[in-house]
Amino acid sequence: MNDNKKPLYFITGNDHKFDEVYKSFREENINFDLLQSKIETLEIQANTIKEVAEFKIKSVKEIFKDSYFVEDAGFFVEDPLNGFPGVYSSYAFKTIGNDGILKMIDDYQSPRARFEAIIALYYKPTNSIHYFRGEVKGSVSKLKRGTAGFGFDPIFIPDEIPNKTFSELSTKEKNQISHRGRALAKLIEFLRTQV
Ligand code: ITT
């Protein structure tokens, strides 16, 4: 850790998420050192990912003396699944996985989906919570394609790069257009203005 930089903790048990955020972070010239924490947070079942993130960040308030953030994300198949799995993404991925989602969509002509991410930051200098949202819209591939990334990446085709799934992009390419990358850009902009 660079001594001149302040620690900033990203609390996540998901190493893929941390890796994506870390790669974006290290390209930015900001005065924070990003560290991963796998401390247990309380994860509630709620109607929006913002509520999940809000509960999570408040549940570890007394533990950190430095600033920290959590990030909650969801995969929403708007058409034809009316937003499923959304807030149930983690559970749906573990149980039915990408194959299960593809089976539910079946031969539907042009399925539409989006990823949404909410970063909740607990900023210690002012003892305040800040939220940063990111979204990416696209379609669902007929088959799983690609080997990079994680979760629903092999079946999501972003509108910005309509011939590739997220799993066929490098981390850098994914970060430029992804829900997480977009939320992170807003967090970084905020942190820049604070130092
Ligand atoms: P945390 O410890 O940070 O909570 P998590 O894996 O539980 O990690 P989320 O609840 O934020 O993460 O995400 C729910 C699920 O949504 C996750 O398990 C993935 O299956 C999926 N997901 C989230 N972001 C994704 C991405 O960028 N690409 C593909 N799938 C993603």
Side-chain angles (χ1 to χ4, degrees):
M1 197 169 83
N2 178 335
D3 285 344
N4 300 321
K5 294 191 174 189
K6 295 175 214 154
L8 174 65
Y9 289 91
F10 177 15
I11 307 172
T12 178
N14 184 326
D15 293 341
H16 295 282
K17 277 167 62 164
F18 184 76
D19 182 58
E20 287 183 8
V21 170
Y22 186 81
K23 282 180 177 154
S24 273
F25 222 81
R26 73 171 175 206
E27 291 188 7
E28 302 290 334
N29 187 23
I30 53 172
N31 201 24
F32 291 89
D33 249 324
L34 187 69
L35 303 165
Q36 184 174 12
S37 165
K38 292 192 177 185
I39 190 171
E40 284 283 314
T41 54
L42 287 180
E43 186 138 6
I44 53 156
Q45 196 62 64
N47 290 327
T48 63
I49 58 171
K50 167 132 191 261
E51 287 170 83
V52 179
E54 183 176 1
F55 203 82
K56 240 188 206 179
I57 194 117
K58 289 181 179 165
S59 73
V60 290
K61 198 168 150 190
E62 309 305 329
I63 296 169
F64 288 88
K65 70 175 194 326
D66 300 298
S67 298
Y68 63 92
F69 67 93
V70 298
E71 184 254 15
D72 248 87
F75 179 59
F76 299 75
V77 180
E78 298 296 355
D79 192 17
L81 305 183
N82 293 325
F84 181 83
V87 290
Y88 306 103
S89 292
S90 185
Y91 185 69
F93 186 75
K94 280 186 225 145
T95 51
I96 60 170
N98 283 316
D99 292 329
I101 298 287
L102 291 181
K103 212 178 263 176
M104 287 173 90
I105 292 172
D106 198 13
D107 58 357
Y108 192 79
Q109 271 310 303
S110 43
R112 295 290 300 164
R114 67 186 176 89
F115 276 110
E116 186 181 340
I118 304 278
I119 290 176
L121 167 74
Y122 196 97
Y123 192 61
K124 281 282 167 173
T126 48
N127 276 321
S128 50
I129 297 175
H130 302 262
Y131 296 95
F132 308 93
R133 183 178 175 278
E135 183 181 63
V136 56
K137 292 182 176 167
S139 56
V140 184
S141 170
K142 292 267 172 252
L143 299 167
K144 289 185 280 184
R145 283 191 347 232
T147 53
F150 68 101
F152 301 102
D153 282 348
I155 61 167
F156 179 73
I157 301 173
D159 286 344
E160 285 85 349
I161 311 176
N163 56 341
K164 288 191 175 173
T165 67
F166 261 0
S167 278
E168 295 176 303
L169 302 180
S170 67
T171 304
K172 191 170 181 176
E173 288 169 322
K174 181 182 169 186
N175 274 340
Q176 275 162 359
I177 54 171
S178 78
H179 50 310
R180 180 164 304 106
R182 285 173 172 155
L184 187 64
K186 293 178 188 170
L187 166 69
I188 288 170
E189 197 181 303
F190 171 84
L191 292 174
R192 249 191 236 297
T193 62
Q194 303 302 313
V195 284

mmCIF file of all heavy atoms in Angstrom, residues 48-50 71-76 78 86-87 89 113-119 132-137 156 178-180 183:
data_model
loop_
_atom_site.group_PDB
_atom_site.id
_atom_site.type_symbol
_atom_site.label_atom_id
_atom_site.label_comp_id
_atom_site.label_asym_id
_atom_site.label_seq_id
_atom_site.Cartn_x
_atom_site.Cartn_y
_atom_site.Cartn_z
ATOM 1 N N THR A 48 -35.712 -3.728 -4.439
ATOM 2 C CA THR A 48 -34.774 -3.029 -5.321
ATOM 3 C C THR A 48 -33.340 -3.303 -4.845
ATOM 4 O O THR A 48 -33.109 -3.544 -3.659
ATOM 5 C CB THR A 48 -34.987 -1.495 -5.281
ATOM 6 O OG1 THR A 48 -34.708 -1.029 -3.952
ATOM 7 C CG2 THR A 48 -36.399 -1.108 -5.670
ATOM 8 N N ILE A 49 -32.398 -3.225 -5.786
ATOM 9 C CA ILE A 49 -31.009 -3.465 -5.379
ATOM 10 C C ILE A 49 -30.489 -2.294 -4.539
ATOM 11 O O ILE A 49 -29.586 -2.463 -3.738
ATOM 12 C CB ILE A 49 -30.084 -3.787 -6.572
ATOM 13 C CG1 ILE A 49 -30.075 -2.698 -7.609
ATOM 14 C CG2 ILE A 49 -30.424 -5.105 -7.197
ATOM 15 C CD1 ILE A 49 -29.010 -2.922 -8.666
ATOM 16 N N LYS A 50 -31.102 -1.120 -4.691
ATOM 17 C CA LYS A 50 -30.689 0.014 -3.857
ATOM 18 C C LYS A 50 -30.960 -0.280 -2.378
ATOM 19 O O LYS A 50 -30.135 -0.004 -1.509
ATOM 20 C CB LYS A 50 -31.412 1.281 -4.301
ATOM 21 C CG LYS A 50 -31.284 2.420 -3.317
ATOM 22 C CD LYS A 50 -30.895 3.732 -3.931
ATOM 23 C CE LYS A 50 -30.523 4.759 -2.892
ATOM 24 N NZ LYS A 50 -31.577 5.694 -2.583
ATOM 25 N N GLU A 71 -21.236 -2.984 -3.400
ATOM 26 C CA GLU A 71 -21.874 -2.821 -4.703
ATOM 27 C C GLU A 71 -22.858 -3.954 -4.884
ATOM 28 O O GLU A 71 -22.522 -5.107 -4.619
ATOM 29 C CB GLU A 71 -20.811 -2.847 -5.815
ATOM 30 C CG GLU A 71 -21.372 -2.598 -7.190
ATOM 31 C CD GLU A 71 -21.428 -3.851 -8.036
ATOM 32 O OE1 GLU A 71 -21.295 -4.976 -7.504
ATOM 33 O OE2 GLU A 71 -21.623 -3.732 -9.228
ATOM 34 N N ASP A 72 -24.066 -3.623 -5.265
ATOM 35 C CA ASP A 72 -25.052 -4.652 -5.519
ATOM 36 C C ASP A 72 -25.498 -4.576 -6.959
ATOM 37 O O ASP A 72 -25.746 -3.487 -7.484
ATOM 38 C CB ASP A 72 -26.249 -4.494 -4.578
ATOM 39 C CG ASP A 72 -26.254 -5.663 -3.631
ATOM 40 O OD1 ASP A 72 -25.590 -5.579 -2.585
ATOM 41 O OD2 ASP A 72 -26.877 -6.694 -3.998
ATOM 42 N N ALA A 73 -25.590 -5.759 -7.583
ATOM 43 C CA ALA A 73 -25.935 -5.759 -8.999
ATOM 44 C C ALA A 73 -27.036 -6.768 -9.267
ATOM 45 O O ALA A 73 -27.268 -7.683 -8.474
ATOM 46 C CB ALA A 73 -24.703 -6.118 -9.820
ATOM 47 N N GLY A 74 -27.705 -6.594 -10.391
ATOM 48 C CA GLY A 74 -28.745 -7.547 -10.783
ATOM 49 C C GLY A 74 -28.858 -7.609 -12.293
ATOM 50 O O GLY A 74 -28.507 -6.663 -13.001
ATOM 51 N N PHE A 75 -29.327 -8.765 -12.760
ATOM 52 C CA PHE A 75 -29.547 -9.006 -14.188
ATOM 53 C C PHE A 75 -31.061 -9.076 -14.394
ATOM 54 O O PHE A 75 -31.731 -9.916 -13.778
ATOM 55 C CB PHE A 75 -28.878 -10.338 -14.571
ATOM 56 C CG PHE A 75 -29.049 -10.737 -16.003
ATOM 57 C CD1 PHE A 75 -28.604 -9.913 -17.031
ATOM 58 C CD2 PHE A 75 -29.617 -11.964 -16.329
ATOM 59 C CE1 PHE A 75 -28.735 -10.297 -18.365
ATOM 60 C CE2 PHE A 75 -29.741 -12.361 -17.657
ATOM 61 C CZ PHE A 75 -29.297 -11.526 -18.671
ATOM 62 N N PHE A 76 -31.598 -8.180 -15.214
ATOM 63 C CA PHE A 76 -33.048 -8.070 -15.396
ATOM 64 C C PHE A 76 -33.418 -8.417 -16.837
ATOM 65 O O PHE A 76 -33.096 -7.644 -17.746
ATOM 66 C CB PHE A 76 -33.512 -6.635 -15.102
ATOM 67 C CG PHE A 76 -33.240 -6.175 -13.684
ATOM 68 C CD1 PHE A 76 -31.952 -5.834 -13.270
ATOM 69 C CD2 PHE A 76 -34.274 -6.066 -12.765
ATOM 70 C CE1 PHE A 76 -31.706 -5.406 -11.966
ATOM 71 C CE2 PHE A 76 -34.042 -5.642 -11.454
ATOM 72 C CZ PHE A 76 -32.751 -5.321 -11.052
ATOM 73 N N GLU A 78 -35.968 -8.032 -19.089
ATOM 74 C CA GLU A 78 -37.205 -7.234 -19.131
ATOM 75 C C GLU A 78 -38.262 -7.891 -20.011
ATOM 76 O O GLU A 78 -39.437 -7.885 -19.683
ATOM 77 C CB GLU A 78 -36.901 -5.823 -19.655
ATOM 78 C CG GLU A 78 -35.931 -5.020 -18.786
ATOM 79 C CD GLU A 78 -36.465 -4.724 -17.384
ATOM 80 O OE1 GLU A 78 -37.627 -5.060 -17.086
ATOM 81 O OE2 GLU A 78 -35.695 -4.170 -16.576
ATOM 82 N N GLY A 86 -33.503 -10.236 -11.638
ATOM 83 C CA GLY A 86 -33.427 -8.988 -10.878
ATOM 84 C C GLY A 86 -32.796 -9.144 -9.506
ATOM 85 O O GLY A 86 -31.657 -9.578 -9.382
ATOM 86 N N VAL A 87 -33.562 -8.823 -8.449
ATOM 87 C CA VAL A 87 -33.008 -8.910 -7.083
ATOM 88 C C VAL A 87 -32.742 -10.360 -6.655
ATOM 89 O O VAL A 87 -32.106 -10.604 -5.635
ATOM 90 C CB VAL A 87 -33.917 -8.221 -6.032
ATOM 91 C CG1 VAL A 87 -33.890 -6.715 -6.203
ATOM 92 C CG2 VAL A 87 -35.342 -8.758 -6.087
ATOM 93 N N SER A 89 -30.980 -12.393 -8.559
ATOM 94 C CA SER A 89 -29.941 -12.837 -9.502
ATOM 95 C C SER A 89 -28.975 -13.853 -8.911
ATOM 96 O O SER A 89 -28.635 -14.848 -9.546
ATOM 97 C CB SER A 89 -29.151 -11.632 -10.024
ATOM 98 O OG SER A 89 -29.987 -10.847 -10.832
ATOM 99 N N ALA A 113 -32.653 -7.361 -22.120
ATOM 100 C CA ALA A 113 -32.197 -7.465 -20.731
ATOM 101 C C ALA A 113 -31.341 -6.264 -20.373
ATOM 102 O O ALA A 113 -30.908 -5.495 -21.247
ATOM 103 C CB ALA A 113 -31.392 -8.743 -20.548
ATOM 104 N N ARG A 114 -31.116 -6.095 -19.080
ATOM 105 C CA ARG A 114 -30.206 -5.046 -18.623
ATOM 106 C C ARG A 114 -29.544 -5.496 -17.325
ATOM 107 O O ARG A 114 -30.091 -6.346 -16.594
ATOM 108 C CB ARG A 114 -30.939 -3.718 -18.418
ATOM 109 C CG ARG A 114 -31.915 -3.742 -17.285
ATOM 110 C CD ARG A 114 -32.740 -2.462 -17.170
ATOM 111 N NE ARG A 114 -33.708 -2.625 -16.107
ATOM 112 C CZ ARG A 114 -33.493 -2.323 -14.820
ATOM 113 N NH1 ARG A 114 -32.358 -1.772 -14.444
ATOM 114 N NH2 ARG A 114 -34.411 -2.540 -13.909
ATOM 115 N N PHE A 115 -28.373 -4.952 -17.070
ATOM 116 C CA PHE A 115 -27.721 -5.097 -15.778
ATOM 117 C C PHE A 115 -27.815 -3.756 -15.074
ATOM 118 O O PHE A 115 -27.684 -2.696 -15.711
ATOM 119 C CB PHE A 115 -26.218 -5.390 -15.948
ATOM 120 C CG PHE A 115 -25.856 -6.825 -16.179
ATOM 121 C CD1 PHE A 115 -25.391 -7.241 -17.417
ATOM 122 C CD2 PHE A 115 -25.925 -7.757 -15.152
ATOM 123 C CE1 PHE A 115 -25.008 -8.556 -17.628
ATOM 124 C CE2 PHE A 115 -25.539 -9.071 -15.344
ATOM 125 C CZ PHE A 115 -25.083 -9.475 -16.590
ATOM 126 N N GLU A 116 -27.999 -3.812 -13.766
ATOM 127 C CA GLU A 116 -27.989 -2.581 -12.980
ATOM 128 C C GLU A 116 -27.056 -2.784 -11.797
ATOM 129 O O GLU A 116 -27.005 -3.880 -11.224
ATOM 130 C CB GLU A 116 -29.408 -2.287 -12.475
ATOM 131 C CG GLU A 116 -29.528 -0.955 -11.767
ATOM 132 C CD GLU A 116 -30.946 -0.699 -11.247
ATOM 133 O OE1 GLU A 116 -31.901 -1.334 -11.723
ATOM 134 O OE2 GLU A 116 -31.066 0.134 -10.333
ATOM 135 N N ALA A 117 -26.309 -1.754 -11.452
ATOM 136 C CA ALA A 117 -25.424 -1.816 -10.282
ATOM 137 C C ALA A 117 -25.625 -0.570 -9.440
ATOM 138 O O ALA A 117 -25.814 0.530 -9.977
ATOM 139 C CB ALA A 117 -23.963 -1.891 -10.722
ATOM 140 N N ILE A 118 -25.598 -0.760 -8.136
ATOM 141 C CA ILE A 118 -25.619 0.377 -7.212
ATOM 142 C C ILE A 118 -24.410 0.250 -6.298
ATOM 143 O O ILE A 118 -24.231 -0.785 -5.646
ATOM 144 C CB ILE A 118 -26.875 0.394 -6.301
ATOM 145 C CG1 ILE A 118 -28.172 0.381 -7.102
ATOM 146 C CG2 ILE A 118 -26.811 1.564 -5.322
ATOM 147 C CD1 ILE A 118 -28.625 1.719 -7.640
ATOM 148 N N ILE A 119 -23.598 1.276 -6.286
ATOM 149 C CA ILE A 119 -22.499 1.338 -5.319
ATOM 150 C C ILE A 119 -22.989 2.214 -4.166
ATOM 151 O O ILE A 119 -23.511 3.312 -4.396
ATOM 152 C CB ILE A 119 -21.231 1.954 -5.947
ATOM 153 C CG1 ILE A 119 -20.624 0.983 -6.968
ATOM 154 C CG2 ILE A 119 -20.195 2.310 -4.861
ATOM 155 C CD1 ILE A 119 -19.421 1.537 -7.720
ATOM 156 N N PHE A 132 -24.232 5.523 -6.138
ATOM 157 C CA PHE A 132 -23.834 5.737 -7.535
ATOM 158 C C PHE A 132 -24.421 4.587 -8.342
ATOM 159 O O PHE A 132 -24.206 3.421 -8.013
ATOM 160 C CB PHE A 132 -22.304 5.767 -7.654
ATOM 161 C CG PHE A 132 -21.672 6.736 -6.699
ATOM 162 C CD1 PHE A 132 -21.228 6.311 -5.455
ATOM 163 C CD2 PHE A 132 -21.569 8.087 -7.026
ATOM 164 C CE1 PHE A 132 -20.681 7.200 -4.540
ATOM 165 C CE2 PHE A 132 -21.027 8.990 -6.113
ATOM 166 C CZ PHE A 132 -20.577 8.547 -4.873
ATOM 167 N N ARG A 133 -25.159 4.931 -9.399
ATOM 168 C CA ARG A 133 -25.881 3.901 -10.156
ATOM 169 C C ARG A 133 -25.321 3.761 -11.571
ATOM 170 O O ARG A 133 -24.918 4.758 -12.177
ATOM 171 C CB ARG A 133 -27.352 4.313 -10.222
ATOM 172 C CG ARG A 133 -28.245 3.327 -10.901
ATOM 173 C CD ARG A 133 -29.705 3.798 -10.863
ATOM 174 N NE ARG A 133 -30.526 2.880 -11.625
ATOM 175 C CZ ARG A 133 -30.643 2.929 -12.941
ATOM 176 N NH1 ARG A 133 -30.038 3.855 -13.645
ATOM 177 N NH2 ARG A 133 -31.400 2.032 -13.564
ATOM 178 N N GLY A 134 -25.320 2.550 -12.052
ATOM 179 C CA GLY A 134 -24.902 2.315 -13.433
ATOM 180 C C GLY A 134 -25.795 1.268 -14.068
ATOM 181 O O GLY A 134 -26.313 0.385 -13.392
ATOM 182 N N GLU A 135 -25.989 1.400 -15.371
ATOM 183 C CA GLU A 135 -26.874 0.463 -16.075
ATOM 184 C C GLU A 135 -26.330 0.205 -17.469
ATOM 185 O O GLU A 135 -25.707 1.078 -18.067
ATOM 186 C CB GLU A 135 -28.271 1.098 -16.167
ATOM 187 C CG GLU A 135 -29.294 0.204 -16.798
ATOM 188 C CD GLU A 135 -30.665 0.886 -16.882
ATOM 189 O OE1 GLU A 135 -30.783 1.918 -17.574
ATOM 190 O OE2 GLU A 135 -31.606 0.376 -16.266
ATOM 191 N N VAL A 136 -26.582 -0.989 -17.987
ATOM 192 C CA VAL A 136 -26.261 -1.282 -19.388
ATOM 193 C C VAL A 136 -27.412 -2.102 -19.963
ATOM 194 O O VAL A 136 -27.906 -3.019 -19.312
ATOM 195 C CB VAL A 136 -24.898 -2.013 -19.536
ATOM 196 C CG1 VAL A 136 -24.827 -3.287 -18.719
ATOM 197 C CG2 VAL A 136 -24.578 -2.313 -21.005
ATOM 198 N N LYS A 137 -27.841 -1.712 -21.165
ATOM 199 C CA LYS A 137 -28.970 -2.398 -21.802
ATOM 200 C C LYS A 137 -28.473 -3.271 -22.942
ATOM 201 O O LYS A 137 -27.447 -2.955 -23.574
ATOM 202 C CB LYS A 137 -29.964 -1.377 -22.335
ATOM 203 C CG LYS A 137 -30.649 -0.633 -21.219
ATOM 204 C CD LYS A 137 -31.681 0.339 -21.743
ATOM 205 C CE LYS A 137 -32.387 0.974 -20.552
ATOM 206 N NZ LYS A 137 -33.165 2.121 -20.891
ATOM 207 N N PHE A 156 -25.243 -12.303 -22.155
ATOM 208 C CA PHE A 156 -25.675 -10.900 -22.308
ATOM 209 C C PHE A 156 -24.900 -10.211 -23.428
ATOM 210 O O PHE A 156 -23.668 -10.185 -23.436
ATOM 211 C CB PHE A 156 -25.468 -10.134 -21.007
ATOM 212 C CG PHE A 156 -25.870 -8.687 -21.104
ATOM 213 C CD1 PHE A 156 -27.218 -8.328 -21.145
ATOM 214 C CD2 PHE A 156 -24.914 -7.673 -21.186
ATOM 215 C CE1 PHE A 156 -27.608 -6.989 -21.257
ATOM 216 C CE2 PHE A 156 -25.283 -6.333 -21.303
ATOM 217 C CZ PHE A 156 -26.637 -5.996 -21.333
ATOM 218 N N SER A 178 -20.050 -1.313 -18.910
ATOM 219 C CA SER A 178 -20.882 -2.104 -17.997
ATOM 220 C C SER A 178 -21.559 -1.253 -16.915
ATOM 221 O O SER A 178 -21.141 -0.128 -16.615
ATOM 222 C CB SER A 178 -20.062 -3.206 -17.335
ATOM 223 O OG SER A 178 -19.270 -2.670 -16.295
ATOM 224 N N HIS A 179 -22.594 -1.830 -16.329
ATOM 225 C CA HIS A 179 -23.298 -1.272 -15.170
ATOM 226 C C HIS A 179 -22.289 -0.914 -14.069
ATOM 227 O O HIS A 179 -22.308 0.180 -13.525
ATOM 228 C CB HIS A 179 -24.324 -2.296 -14.682
ATOM 229 C CG HIS A 179 -23.765 -3.685 -14.495
ATOM 230 N ND1 HIS A 179 -23.021 -4.316 -15.455
ATOM 231 C CD2 HIS A 179 -23.806 -4.549 -13.442
ATOM 232 C CE1 HIS A 179 -22.648 -5.501 -15.012
ATOM 233 N NE2 HIS A 179 -23.103 -5.664 -13.793
ATOM 234 N N ARG A 180 -21.389 -1.877 -13.776
ATOM 235 C CA ARG A 180 -20.425 -1.669 -12.692
ATOM 236 C C ARG A 180 -19.433 -0.564 -13.065
ATOM 237 O O ARG A 180 -19.127 0.311 -12.260
ATOM 238 C CB ARG A 180 -19.679 -2.985 -12.416
ATOM 239 C CG ARG A 180 -18.648 -2.927 -11.304
ATOM 240 C CD ARG A 180 -18.266 -4.319 -10.839
ATOM 241 N NE ARG A 180 -19.450 -5.038 -10.437
ATOM 242 C CZ ARG A 180 -20.015 -6.033 -11.155
ATOM 243 N NH1 ARG A 180 -19.452 -6.460 -12.257
ATOM 244 N NH2 ARG A 180 -21.121 -6.613 -10.739
ATOM 245 N N ALA A 183 -21.158 2.851 -12.778
ATOM 246 C CA ALA A 183 -21.343 3.280 -11.376
ATOM 247 C C ALA A 183 -19.992 3.680 -10.787
ATOM 248 O O ALA A 183 -19.876 4.675 -10.064
ATOM 249 C CB ALA A 183 -21.980 2.150 -10.563
#
